[in-house]
Amino acid sequence: MAVNFKKYSAGYLDKCVTVLGDAFVSNPLHVSAFGRGRLDQNRLFFRIGIKHMFVGQSFVALDNDEVCGYVHFNAWPYCLPAPEQIPNIVANTLTPLGEALPKVIQWFARWCHLDPDEPHVHLGPIGVAPARQGRGIGTGLMHCYINHLEEEKSAGYLETDRPENVEFYERFGFFVRRNEELIGVPIWHMWRPASA
């Protein structure tokens, strides 16, 4: 049966938490923030994110009704909180992350500060179960996002901490707008013009 894509609903929460935690556990930014191999922290992070922070649109990739991928995107100016809102968010939502909290605060405060002032639709997270990567599922999830950008005639924006992902996103019309180091990890901030 072919993989199909449908809008996220709360019944998919646990499966999406597992998929995202497994997909991101080896990402450099997540290793720096949570430690190597910390599936527990990564899954907790995504459980908090999906339940409290990932407002906007989300889709799941399903193979035989099994969740194998997830994508989220949200329109500016609601895609990230204003930097001054970070302390309140930390106090109300992120405290379960414990010892990872200082790095997570630094990470999110920087991303909030750099969020473009121009109208855009912000991508993230997007993840595919590790055993299912390389089979076009990530491309299918990206098409959910790109179709939305084209329908809305909107620019796109994302951050990535993997150099191989830069090339992947370039295939969809993104280019690197900024490159910097954050909590010891190279980060690429990428933009796709509305006219792409």
Side-chain angles (χ1 to χ4, degrees):
M1 181 183 248
V3 173
N4 59 75
F5 303 89
K6 64 183 292 186
K7 286 208 167 190
Y8 169 83
S9 63
Y12 294 122
L13 174 64
D14 290 340
K15 295 288 187 182
C16 290
V17 165
T18 298
V19 165
L20 290 171
D22 294 2
F24 279 84
V25 70
S26 62
N27 274 39
L29 194 58
H30 288 244
V31 171
S32 178
F34 303 122
R36 191 166 305 282
R38 292 296 304 270
L39 271 175
D40 58 332
Q41 283 283 71
N42 277 273
R43 289 177 179 172
L44 176 59
F45 172 76
F46 285 114
R47 183 171 297 279
I48 292 168
I50 292 174
K51 287 180 79 173
H52 302 289
M53 297 167 65
F54 299 168
V55 296
Q57 296 200 45
S58 300
F59 289 83
V60 293
L62 298 170
D63 186 7
N64 291 322
D65 293 325
E66 187 68 27
V67 175
C68 56
Y70 174 93
V71 64
H72 168 265
F73 46 90
N74 195 20
W76 177 90
Y78 308 108
C79 51
L80 285 176
E84 61 271 13
Q85 293 176 316
I86 295 289
N88 187 47
I89 289 168
V90 169
N92 291 320
T93 357
L94 297 176
T95 51
L97 294 173
E99 63 189 25
L101 207 49
K103 284 189 174 181
V104 171
I105 292 169
Q106 189 179 348
W107 160 12
F108 271 91
R110 184 65 179 155
W111 280 13
C112 293
H113 178 73
L114 291 176
D115 193 53
D117 290 332
E118 312 103 291
H120 63 276
V121 178
H122 202 137
L123 175 69
I126 177 172
V128 176
R132 306 301 306 279
Q133 292 174 6
R135 300 183 189 180
I137 297 167
T139 296
L141 291 167
M142 278 297 290
H143 282 299
C144 295
Y145 172 55
I146 296 299
N147 290 343
H148 179 80
L149 293 182
E150 291 176 352
E151 286 168 10
E152 297 297 318
K153 297 179 174 46
S154 179
Y157 180 72
L158 62 89
E159 306 93 350
T160 185
D161 58 350
R162 287 189 175 272
E164 62 270 26
N165 287 355
V166 172
E167 294 179 22
F168 174 74
Y169 295 126
E170 285 174 342
R171 296 198 326 246
F172 295 93
F174 284 85
F175 65 89
V176 175
R177 202 176 203 189
R178 180 186 184 92
N179 178 230
E180 65 174 4
E181 191 172 285
L182 177 60
I183 61 172
V185 173
I187 305 293
W188 292 265
H189 302 261
M190 301 187 71
W191 182 260
R192 182 185 191 267
S195 59

